[in-house]
Amino acid sequence: MDERIPSGSKIMDFVLGGGYEKEVITTLFGPAGCGKTVICMLCAASAARSGKKVIYVDTENNFSLERLQQIAAFDHGKILQKIVFLRPTSFAEQQEMFEKLKGLVHKPIGLVVVDSLGSLYRLELGKGNGAYDINRQFGRQIAYLNEITRKKNIPVIVTNQVYADFEDKQMVRMVGGDILRYSSKCLIELFNLPSGNRKAILRKHRSIQAGKEFFFKIVSGGIIGTKEE
């Protein structure tokens, strides 16, 4: 059984030893504009081309049809037919959709994408009501994703935001903290660089040494590897 699926990017496949692992949550985290969504779209297009359905949870309305047309100039229409979009607009809606996800995933589903997992959670926390219950619900949502990927052998890719550490402004932390960090078997941190390029660092992986990094730039067709002086 093939334990990886192609990412849709040659440089990403090279770093990850062939693609994203099945049976695990892969988390891409970093600031706005670092390439998280386009990386998700590349993998969604790749999975759709293989004949599998894709469930795409778009919490920030980041998925762009125009961007997909650039990435998949010749077959974006066929790819769209393979993608099921879920667009929650509140943390409560996200909770309901995650509960329904377990019933949606079955053999033809080849990928689940959540872009992003922490945005509605962060907004809910900002209201100042019941942090304990909100964190518990967030943990339950991650548990749903873990159950899907482990029991159904379906890869799950999520994106997440970051924020500056209160005591050390040079350090960034992932929204949701240790809840998602411990549940994700693959963690990839993305950075924006002054040059306009981006940088990716593999922070955690089950079978690849952490610390591997590469530079890339976003182009009309997706991403390409590059060099950074």
Side-chain angles (χ1 to χ4, degrees), residues 170-188:
Q170 300 302 313
M171 178 181 293
V172 298
R173 296 189 181 277
M174 186 165 57
V175 171
D178 292 339
I179 303 174
L180 183 57
R181 184 178 296 274
Y182 291 147
S183 298
S184 302
K185 299 304 180 185
C186 178
L187 282 170
I188 302 172

Side-chain angles (χ1 to χ4, degrees), residues 48-68:
R49 287 188 178 110
S50 73
K52 298 288 188 178
K53 287 279 189 180
V54 176
I55 296 178
Y56 201 109
V57 184
D58 185 8
T59 67
E60 297 183 88
N61 201 28
N62 279 333
F63 192 100
S64 164
L65 177 57
E66 290 77 14
R67 194 71 181 93
L68 179 64

Side-chain angles (χ1 to χ4, degrees), residues 133-150:
D133 287 337
I134 295 169
N135 284 327
R136 185 176 61 179
Q137 291 172 24
F138 190 60
R140 188 178 297 128
Q141 292 174 12
I142 297 171
Y144 289 151
L145 295 178
N146 255 322
E147 183 177 345
I148 288 168
T149 191
R150 294 176 65 183

Side-chain angles (χ1 to χ4, degrees), residues 52-192:
K52 298 288 188 178
K53 287 279 189 180
V54 176
I55 296 178
Y56 201 109
V57 184
D58 185 8
T59 67
E60 297 183 88
N61 201 28
N62 279 333
F63 192 100
S64 164
L65 177 57
E66 290 77 14
R67 194 71 181 93
L68 179 64
Q69 290 172 337
Q70 294 173 352
I71 290 173
F74 301 106
D75 60 350
H76 58 273
K78 292 182 179 179
I79 287 171
L80 273 179
Q81 293 176 7
K82 294 289 186 178
I83 302 178
V84 178
F85 290 99
L86 301 177
R87 291 190 169 97
T89 59
S90 69
F91 189 64
E93 285 186 12
Q94 180 168 301
Q95 176 75 16
E96 293 175 1
M97 288 185 181
F98 275 48
E99 290 173 356
K100 293 176 181 177
L101 268 181
K102 291 190 293 183
L104 288 175
V105 293
H106 45 82
K107 192 171 183 180
I109 300 295
L111 175 69
V112 174
V113 175
V114 184
D115 182 25
S116 75
L117 181 62
S119 60
L120 296 175
Y121 160 79
R122 192 176 188 180
L123 287 174
E124 192 71 15
L125 281 178
K127 297 177 182 178
N129 298 322
Y132 175 81
D133 287 337
I134 295 169
N135 284 327
R136 185 176 61 179
Q137 291 172 24
F138 190 60
R140 188 178 297 128
Q141 292 174 12
I142 297 171
Y144 289 151
L145 295 178
N146 255 322
E147 183 177 345
I148 288 168
T149 191
R150 294 176 65 183
K151 291 186 176 181
K152 303 292 186 178
N153 196 39
I154 297 172
V156 174
I157 301 174
V158 306
T159 71
N160 204 3
Q161 303 170 337
V162 295
Y163 63 94
D165 185 87
F166 182 75
E167 297 180 353
D168 184 358
K169 298 299 183 182
Q170 300 302 313
M171 178 181 293
V172 298
R173 296 189 181 277
M174 186 165 57
V175 171
D178 292 339
I179 303 174
L180 183 57
R181 184 178 296 274
Y182 291 147
S183 298
S184 302
K185 299 304 180 185
C186 178
L187 282 170
I188 302 172
E189 185 171 8
L190 304 174
F191 302 85
N192 293 317

